[in-house]
Amino acid sequence: VIFLGGSINELSEKCKKLRIFAGRDLLLCADVEEGIGQRFDGGTHLPPPMSIGIIYKKNPNMACKLAEQYGKCIAFQSIQCGLNWVLAPVCDINNNPRNPVINMRAWGEDPNTVSELACAFQKGLKSYGVLSCLKHFPGHGDTTLDSHLGLPIISRKLDELNDYELLPFKKAILNGADSVMTAHLLLSEIDPYLPSTLSPKILYNLLRMEIGFDGLIVTDALLMKAISTKYDSGKASALAFSAGADIIMMPSDPDEAIDAIAAELISGNIPLSKLENSLNRRRNALLKSSKFRRHKD
């Protein structure tokens, strides 16, 4: 479940009720890159990550400590409100000054700054057992179009991505990332036909096989125009799941999305083993978080 607004008290009540209704633990998340107060009244709203990136240029050690505290602050307040999964850190490198959607959300403008600060932030999250989410794979920094409004096209070859955009993701994965969120981009040199979110070449070949990530892969919201202008909820959801996504985030019609995936599984177009693998990843993520909370209690 993803939460988008209200007060911290309302959020806390909703999380409690959903767990009671389900009779078990759930993945309860929010897009709170800059603190709980970014989305929920009564929480702390922190300065944008880029502000710590500026500090990093003069004092890397201090910046890393601040980034870790930044993560701890968000994690502590998330736990207090009932959340166990934060859709952060942003691992995009803001190397294009005309970028309309990443800009101040990024930790910096070069791979090393972003890698170090994103990992420090993730360490802060993990100190409270809150699950992390690296985004937006394979990198949304070098775009001039907002994927909420249209489909950005990036012409970098795989070697160029490996030398630049992918470095923060790789480092954070080595440091125990729990999940990775896809970017709605068309990487014309790798898959000229399908956006990253729907592409087996990006999600399975690159992220799973080449980089070796075995945590949860979650799509960015499928109702964003980069996807929804060309694909309906059912088609987009089935393609994303077939490509390697474990969690389908915010299709405009959830019933249509579920029916489409179920139909592909029943027909055998998508093997049941893919569903079982996704369920196991989800189970493992929940177990990791709930074990930590029980230990702390």
Side-chain angles (χ1 to χ4, degrees), residues 113-254:
T113 301
V114 174
S115 297
E116 293 297 318
L117 296 180
C119 286
F121 172 91
Q122 180 174 256
K123 183 179 178 183
L125 283 186
K126 292 171 82 67
S127 69
Y128 283 95
V130 172
L131 302 172
S132 63
C133 184
L134 316 182
K135 61 187 191 185
H136 307 79
F137 185 87
H140 205 320
D142 190 17
T143 60
T144 55
L145 181 64
D146 184 344
S147 50
H148 293 85
L149 306 176
L151 180 63
I153 298 174
I154 292 179
S155 58
R156 287 182 183 268
K157 293 181 169 60
L158 183 56
D159 287 347
E160 294 174 302
L161 289 175
N162 274 319
D163 289 342
Y164 202 83
E165 275 86 357
L166 295 181
L167 293 177
F169 291 97
K170 288 179 177 180
K171 182 157 186 180
I173 286 169
L174 285 173
N175 280 272
D178 301 296
S179 63
V180 172
M181 180 181 284
T182 67
H184 301 329
L185 309 168
L186 188 73
L187 287 157
S188 59
E189 295 296 318
I190 299 173
D191 189 337
Y193 306 107
L194 291 171
S196 299
T197 297
L198 313 180
S199 171
K201 292 180 180 178
I202 304 297
L203 301 192
Y204 182 76
N205 294 2
L206 179 56
L207 183 54
R208 286 275 186 238
M209 301 307 294
E210 186 171 324
I211 294 176
F213 179 66
D214 195 37
L216 286 167
I217 297 177
V218 55
T219 70
D220 206 345
L222 291 187
L223 50 71
M224 292 163 62
K225 291 294 199 315
I227 299 296
S228 62
T229 52
K230 185 173 180 181
Y231 304 91
D232 61 31
S233 291
K235 185 67 172 176
S237 300
L239 284 171
F241 186 62
S242 180
D246 301 297
I247 294 180
I248 309 302
M249 185 76 79
M250 294 176 68
S252 53
D253 187 332

